[in-house]
Amino acid sequence: MAFFRLLIYNTQIMKREILNPFTDIKQIILKYLPYIFLFFAVFLVYGKTIGHDITGLDDISLIHGNAVSYSSKTQLKNIFTNNVLFGGHTVYYRPLLTLSFALEHKLAGTSPHFAHLTNILLHILSCFIVFFFFKRYLMSETAAFIAALFFAVHPANLYTVTWIPGRNDSLFLIFLLLSLIFFIEYLNKKKLIFIILHFIFFAFLLFTKESAIVMPVIFILYLLTHKEKDKKFFRFFIYISIVWVIQISFFIIIQKNAVPNMSFIQYALKCFYPSNISMFFEYYASMIFLTVPFGINIAAKSFILGSIAIAFIFYIAFCCGKDKLKMFFYFILPFLLIAATMPGGRIWYQGNRMYLPLFAILAVCFICFDVFYTNNKKYRKQILALPAILLLLCAVITSAKSELFKNGMLFWSAVYSDSKNPSIVIQNLYADALLKFGYPDKALPAIEKAMAGSEKVDMSTVYNLANYYLIVGDYEKAGSYFEALAKNPMLADEETYANLFICGKFLNNEEAAKFYYEKTLQKFNNSLEKTNAFITELMQKLQLTQETYEKRKTLK
């Protein structure tokens, strides 16, 4: 009997030793299951965008235009001492965004597909951090997971994930949340490493987007709404403010060196443009009512829906939330985050600016949802039905609308058709996209509309007219417009000269062709190989566009 007891005892020990690893694996899987779900939810909605091309707005410059700079030996120095277009016409200084494209170029060259994949992966990382933040500081794991799922598939985030330059907002949210997490951890645990990490990620914030300058306001507001005020509080407040001021001052000095002509006053005054003022209401309406605009329309509908959305958020924040002071922080946070993005004006709807405010609005909604869900154990299945239906609706809308970012023609057609009074910039970008896809007949009305709406000669319109006549085969008129572009030092580039060479060749004007070939050659530092390759590429693109146009005319 003793032998059998000993055998059973040893068998039980062996059983535990064998089963324990499987139990551990199960626990690990359960622990990371929400992250796995979030990963697949994002890929389910956005995976097809990996096959998308570029929209022709900024992405063409960031991927193709800067390609030479990404390959230079001094690229790292140039990234931090130039604007985002390496000296091109822009006031934006965003070296960490530029760095992401430079690293991408090392791995995949100018592939737009790899760039789309990067955007998806950054969004997934954002979703992970949003889930972690909600679960650790604000709500139960169930509520945090549902909130993170909404963040993963909500149509408001469509622009950030699907438009390649929109990744800057993903980077910004990642660094903002990490800096806030380490700030909170320091307040809770008083470990020096946490405040050091907070300052590091705040520095990353500054070099990601200019609006980071006002982010200390958010940190201070968190401090005021979450911590008791005593002597230590005020001492800490002074010390940390000094460090923030030093960091911001250092950033401004470096930024001014990279973008010397930037005026903060002129930049800030754009906040008061009517389209920017309406932005508050448009963004709130989109986040609550799941609308996905593309154009800018200052309409009564936007103000009404936006006001209803703000009133709804106000109600659930202050009538459903427990801690009114803490709820005030998350209620006011979207206002601060939208305000931080207002300088600079808008060309199109630019929904990527909703990425950060959506995080704050979800925080308000799901803090209250968590209270309701916890207090109604009997009806939990019924309570979960509503967010399940809304999540499915969000996923369907986002997946469908992502198709409009497939290429430049679809994107600018959506922007143009959704704008009641499209600006000259939108008209020109729409016409440019139509020309590139072999629709010169459709592009001409937009070009003429842009000409009629401009008091002075707009060079983008001239560029489109030159390309229009080039595609339809009127090389004499095309040449005259390209010559007008060549007179402008900003536009006298290799493409303008190469197109003038092509016009000269088609017109059998050997003298003009030779002259402009020499001009193109100079732009490539007298490299015959690069010059010939560039001209050949332009000729092939023109031939392809002309063939597409001719086929379309034949079908008609």
Side-chain angles (χ1 to χ4, degrees):
M1 290 295 293
F3 169 76
F4 285 110
R5 279 199 299 269
L6 184 62
L7 182 62
I8 292 166
Y9 175 72
N10 286 331
T11 305
Q12 287 173 342
I13 290 173
M14 287 173 68
K15 206 185 215 180
R16 279 201 299 269
E17 286 176 352
I18 292 167
L19 289 176
N20 272 345
F22 292 102
T23 305
D24 291 343
I25 291 167
K26 186 180 177 182
Q27 286 174 348
I28 290 167
I29 291 170
L30 287 172
K31 183 180 178 181
Y32 293 104
L33 200 58
Y35 297 99
I36 296 168
F37 266 99
L38 286 169
F39 180 89
F40 283 107
V42 173
F43 259 100
L44 184 67
V45 174
Y46 290 108
K48 63 181 178 180
T49 66
I50 295 171
H52 286 188
D53 205 341
I54 55 178
T55 62
L57 175 68
D58 294 343
D59 44 16
I60 194 166
S61 299
L62 292 168
I63 294 174
H64 296 278
N66 292 352
V68 175
S69 300
Y70 298 149
S71 305
S72 71
K73 292 179 181 178
T74 57
Q75 60 172 294
L76 194 60
K77 180 189 172 185
N78 292 339
I79 284 169
F80 284 89
T81 54
N82 281 285
N83 64 32
V84 78
L85 297 181
F86 289 95
H89 186 63
T90 182
V91 298
Y92 295 125
Y93 176 68
R94 296 171 178 179
L96 291 187
L97 173 65
T98 311
L99 185 61
S100 77
F101 284 106
L103 292 172
E104 224 170 53
H105 187 265
K106 297 286 184 191
L107 296 170
T110 56
S111 168
H113 311 304
F114 194 85
H116 282 296
L117 174 62
T118 303
N119 274 36
I120 291 170
L121 294 175
L122 284 171
H123 181 53
I124 288 169
L125 181 57
S126 293
C127 294
F128 287 174
I129 298 172
V130 165
F131 171 63
F132 174 85
F133 186 91
F134 284 165
K135 182 179 71 167
R136 188 170 181 85
Y137 303 114
L138 299 180
M139 58 193 81
S140 69
E141 187 169 357
T142 301
F145 175 62
I146 298 170
L149 269 177
F150 268 102
F151 188 80
V153 301
H154 198 290
N157 287 340
L158 174 71
Y159 296 82
T160 304
V161 187
T162 314
W163 180 51
I164 292 169
R167 74 171 60 164
N168 206 44
D169 291 275
S170 294
L171 288 167
F172 195 82
L173 181 65
I174 289 165
F175 296 142
L176 174 62
L177 287 183
L178 288 173
S179 62
L180 186 56
I181 285 167
F182 289 118
F183 184 70
I184 296 167
E185 289 300 308
Y186 176 78
L187 294 175
N188 293 340
K189 297 176 182 176
K190 299 294 186 293
K191 288 186 178 180
L192 183 62
I193 185 65
F194 291 133
I195 201 66
I196 291 170
L197 287 169
H198 162 75
F199 289 132
I200 289 170
F201 283 108
F202 177 59
F204 288 170
L205 264 181
L206 289 168
F207 287 94
T208 301
K209 204 170 185 179
E210 303 80 1
S211 52
I213 288 173
V214 299
M215 289 304 115
V217 174
I218 290 170
F219 302 139
I220 290 167
L221 189 62
Y222 182 90
L223 203 59
L224 294 171
T225 54
H226 287 72
K227 286 293 169 185
E228 293 181 7
K229 288 77 181 169
D230 53 21
K231 287 182 180 179
K232 287 183 179 180
F233 171 89
F234 291 108
R235 195 183 304 130
F236 171 72
F237 178 80
I238 291 166
Y239 289 157
I240 202 167
S241 297
I242 289 169
V243 179
W244 285 330
V245 169
I246 291 169
Q247 284 185 288
I248 291 169
S249 301
F250 180 71
F251 166 74
I252 290 172
I253 291 166
I254 295 174
Q255 184 196 44
K256 276 290 182 184
N257 182 58
V259 193
N261 298 323
M262 182 181 180
S263 168
F264 277 106
I265 296 172
Q266 289 180 347
Y267 190 67
L269 283 174
K270 291 183 179 180
C271 292
F272 301 102
Y273 284 8
S275 64
N276 272 10
I277 293 169
S278 70
M279 184 164 61
F280 272 107
F281 300 93
E282 289 175 316
Y283 283 178
Y284 268 92
S286 294
M287 286 184 278
I288 299 301
F289 294 102
L290 310 182
T291 56
V292 189
F294 277 78
I296 301 174
N297 295 310
I298 305 168
K301 181 184 174 183
S302 298
F303 287 97
I304 293 167
L305 289 178
S307 298
I308 293 169
I310 292 169
F312 170 73
I313 299 296
F314 180 87
Y315 172 77
I316 62 171
F318 296 106
C319 298
C320 304
K322 287 182 178 179
D323 191 323
K324 297 295 184 285
L325 198 60
K326 289 180 182 178
M327 289 304 291
F328 171 77
F329 171 77
Y330 289 102
F331 172 74
I332 205 72
L333 189 55
F335 283 89
L336 297 173
L337 292 170
I338 293 172
T341 65
M342 283 180 71
R346 292 189 295 168
I347 297 173
W348 49 293
Y349 183 67
Q350 290 178 253
N352 55 297
R353 297 181 180 185
M354 289 193 286
Y355 200 71
L356 276 73
L358 179 64
F359 154 78
I361 285 175
L362 288 172
V364 173
C365 292
F366 281 90
I367 287 171
C368 298
F369 172 85
D370 194 34
V371 173
F372 186 68
Y373 180 76
T374 305
N375 294 338
N376 291 275
K377 292 181 181 179
K378 192 177 179 181
Y379 301 102
R380 282 185 175 179
K381 287 183 180 179
Q382 292 88 334
I383 292 167
L384 289 174
L386 179 60
I389 294 166
L390 288 174
L391 276 168
L392 183 61
L393 182 62
C394 285
V396 169
I397 293 170
T398 304
S399 181
K401 292 290 184 179
S402 69
E403 284 299 295
L404 295 174
F405 288 83
K406 194 170 186 176
N407 56 50
M409 194 185 76
L410 286 172
F411 174 74
W412 286 111
S413 296
V415 173
Y416 186 80
S417 61
D418 197 40
S419 303
K420 289 180 180 176
N421 295 299
S423 66
I424 290 169
V425 175
I426 288 175
Q427 289 163 14
N428 281 322
L429 287 167
Y430 172 56
D432 179 57
L434 288 170
L435 290 168
K436 285 174 180 173
F437 281 84
Y439 289 89
D441 47 339
K442 290 184 179 181
L444 189 59
I447 296 169
E448 290 172 342
K449 193 174 180 180
M451 287 179 70
S454 180
E455 293 179 3
K456 58 181 181 178
V457 178
D458 184 90
M459 286 295 116
S460 296
T461 310
V462 174
Y463 173 81
N464 283 335
L465 274 170
N467 279 294
Y468 167 78
Y469 286 112
L470 194 64
I471 293 166
V472 298
D474 191 337
Y475 301 110
E476 192 170 337
K477 279 190 177 180
S480 66
Y481 283 111
F482 278 121
E483 281 174 358
L485 292 171
K487 290 175 184 177
N488 187 321
M490 293 284 290
L491 301 170
D493 57 13
E494 58 274 11
E495 185 180 346
T496 300
Y497 288 135
N499 277 317
L500 281 163
F501 163 77
I502 291 167
C503 289
K505 275 290 185 185
F506 277 114
L507 292 167
N508 296 315
N509 188 338
E510 292 301 324
E511 187 181 344
K514 184 181 177 182
F515 176 77
Y516 286 114
Y517 181 84
E518 291 294 329
K519 286 282 188 182
T520 312
L521 190 63
Q522 288 171 20
K523 288 290 180 181
F524 286 100
N525 297 318
N526 296 316
S527 170
L528 287 168
E529 185 182 350
K530 288 181 180 178
T531 303
N532 292 335
F534 183 75
I535 290 171
T536 302
E537 187 183 357
L538 271 185
M539 285 286 287
Q540 288 172 345
K541 284 181 180 177
L542 175 61
Q543 187 180 358
L544 185 63
T545 308
Q546 287 177 331
E547 286 174 359
T548 305
Y549 176 50
E550 289 300 323
K551 283 179 185 177
R552 201 166 281 122
K553 281 202 302 181
T554 306
L555 288 171
K556 283 183 179 180

